């Protein structure tokens, strides 16, 4: 008999043997529009058992991967800084053990905790960012720690030319002006991704990879706090994430699933499939 544990399907390696460690951050305190992302990681684990562990796309199986699921962290909802400190500590522990931390959000602010840990270990870190939103506001209604500002805060850590943004289709004018000066931003599509990844690979650059699932079109991913029409398809996202995973990815996250905002359950099923494919691509 085994204990009743609720891990993501196929992710039942023990910690010592694992190459990748999942950790959930059920946090949505700074969500600007429709809350609910705090329920993302737990719903993904539960719904993952509707998926196959085998991917016909990559001819690979999660049962052949060494992934440990450390469950959800218990985070402070009243203090973004306290929550980020805990996320940073968890990411740092996993990195120190030579494993790849894979964070399940939660809203997008959680990425900042993981990036803080990653940049301490890898000072020459680059970030690849898939999102509908630029997330480059300096503050949102006065708050510097907001999911609308997360990539701006990351820029303060890594500096100019080290953040590569794709499928961005929403933000205020100042964010797009900021991107022209300080980040590489591809609006609407993944055009240019292959060239970016090829350069990062050639240099052996460590990459942190953050996927805001709202880069997907709301037609296939309605369960998110700030849906934006005009997004990419699942197949386009799959090709793009497989491309990124050929680089030296040292940490990653999947965020902004708010499962209760899609009563059909399709958004959660889609998020699970994105995570399965990401795990398989990272493990190769
Ligand atoms: Mn977004």
């Amino acid at each position: 008999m085994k204990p009743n544990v609720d891990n993501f399907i196929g992710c039942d390696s023990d910690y010592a043997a694992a190459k990748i460690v999942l950790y959930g951050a059920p946090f949505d305190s700074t969500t600007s529009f429709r809350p609910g992302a705090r329920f993302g990681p737990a719903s993904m684990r539960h719904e993952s058992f509707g998926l196959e562990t085998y991917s016909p796309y990559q001819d690979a199986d999660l049962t052949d991967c060494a992934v440990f699921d450390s469950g959800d962290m218990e985070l402070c909802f009243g203090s973004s800084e306290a929550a980020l400190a805990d996320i940073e500590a968890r990411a740092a522990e996993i990195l120190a053990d030579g494993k790849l931390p894979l964070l399940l959000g939660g809203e997008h602010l959680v990425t900042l905790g993981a990036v803080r840990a990653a940049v301490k270990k890898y000072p020459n870190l680059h970030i690849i960012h898939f999102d509908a939103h630029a997330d480059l506001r300096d503050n949102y209604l006065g708050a510097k720690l907001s999911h609308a500002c997360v990539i701006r805060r990351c820029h303060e850590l890594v500096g100019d030319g080290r953040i590569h943004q794709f499928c961005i289709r929403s933000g205020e004018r100042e964010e797009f002006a900021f991107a022209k000066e300080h980040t590489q931003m591809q609006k609407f599509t993944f055009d240019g991704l292959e060239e970016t990844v090829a350069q990062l690979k050639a240099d052996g650059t460590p990459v942190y990879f953050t996927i805001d699932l709202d880069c997907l079109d709301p037609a296939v991913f309605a369960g998110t706090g700030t849906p934006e029409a005009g997004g990419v398809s699942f197949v386009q996202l799959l090709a793009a994430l497989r491309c990124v995973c050929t680089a030296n990815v040292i940490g990653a996250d999947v965020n902004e699933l708010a499962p209760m905002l899609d009563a059909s359950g399709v958004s959660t099923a889609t998020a699970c499939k994105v995570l399965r494919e990401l795990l398989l691509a990272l493990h190769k």
Side-chain angles (χ1 to χ4, degrees):
M1 212 178 286
K2 290 179 177 172
N4 177 15
V5 288
D6 191 12
N7 53 259
F8 193 82
I9 193 166
C11 298
D12 46 13
S13 166
D14 63 43
Y15 182 75
K19 280 175 68 175
I20 301 173
V21 176
L22 289 173
Y23 62 121
F27 179 84
D28 61 8
S29 295
T30 82
T31 296
S32 52
F33 188 28
R34 310 187 300 173
R38 70 179 64 181
F39 302 110
S43 74
M44 284 173 73
R45 291 194 188 85
H46 185 262
E47 294 296 313
S48 69
F49 286 83
L51 275 185
E52 302 285 359
T53 54
Y54 175 72
S55 164
Y57 299 100
Q58 302 191 61
D59 186 22
D61 200 306
L62 284 176
T63 56
D64 298 327
C65 296
V67 184
F68 176 76
D69 186 345
S70 68
D72 281 0
M73 305 184 67
E74 193 172 357
L75 297 170
C76 176
F77 283 109
S79 165
S80 300
E81 200 48 83
L84 289 172
D86 286 350
I87 294 165
E88 179 182 350
R90 175 68 66 90
E93 181 183 355
I94 298 165
L95 285 168
D97 289 337
K99 304 172 191 301
L100 190 152
L102 207 171
L103 171 62
L104 305 179
E107 52 141 288
H108 208 162
L109 182 63
V110 299
T111 299
L112 181 59
V115 167
R116 283 174 175 171
V119 81
K120 279 177 185 161
K121 181 166 180 185
Y122 301 100
N124 59 333
L125 187 73
H126 281 236
I127 298 171
I128 295 181
H129 170 220
F130 294 175
D131 203 326
H133 307 95
D135 289 353
L136 288 171
R137 278 177 158 87
D138 178 58
N139 69 83
Y140 187 73
L141 303 177
K144 293 261 188 182
L145 294 179
S146 162
H147 73 155
C149 312
V150 61
I151 301 302
R152 183 68 174 261
R153 297 288 87 76
C154 289
H155 172 265
E156 291 165 357
L157 298 174
V158 301
D160 285 355
R162 297 237 218 126
I163 296 176
H164 313 276
Q165 304 180 274
F166 294 88
C167 17
I168 310 298
R169 57 188 184 276
S170 180
E172 54 182 13
R173 188 197 307 256
E174 290 75 10
E175 296 180 81
F176 287 90
F178 184 89
K180 277 207 173 82
E181 298 290 317
H182 302 288
T183 75
Q184 178 202 0
M185 182 194 280
Q186 177 63 43
K187 289 192 281 189
F188 314 125
T189 70
F190 292 114
D191 290 355
L193 178 66
E194 282 182 32
E195 292 81 355
T196 296
V197 170
Q199 186 62 53
L200 294 170
K201 274 166 71 174
D203 300 339
T205 306
V207 172
Y208 187 89
F209 182 22
T210 179
I211 302 176
D212 184 330
L213 290 163
D214 68 26
C215 66
L216 288 162
D217 193 86
V220 294
F221 191 75
T224 195
T226 41
E228 299 283 351
V232 299
S233 72
F234 170 77
V235 170
Q236 289 170 322
L237 175 57
L238 174 57
L241 75 82
R242 290 179 68 184
C243 175
V244 172
C245 291
T246 64
N248 178 25
V249 176
I250 57 82
D253 63 67
V254 175
N255 59 72
E256 294 284 3
L257 166 67
M260 290 146 109
L261 297 176
D262 177 4
S264 76
V266 170
S267 299
T268 305
T270 301
C272 289
K273 203 160 177 181
V274 170
L275 179 59
R276 180 187 75 189
E277 297 300 325
L278 178 63
L279 284 165
L280 292 170
L282 287 170
H283 203 274
K284 279 188 172 166

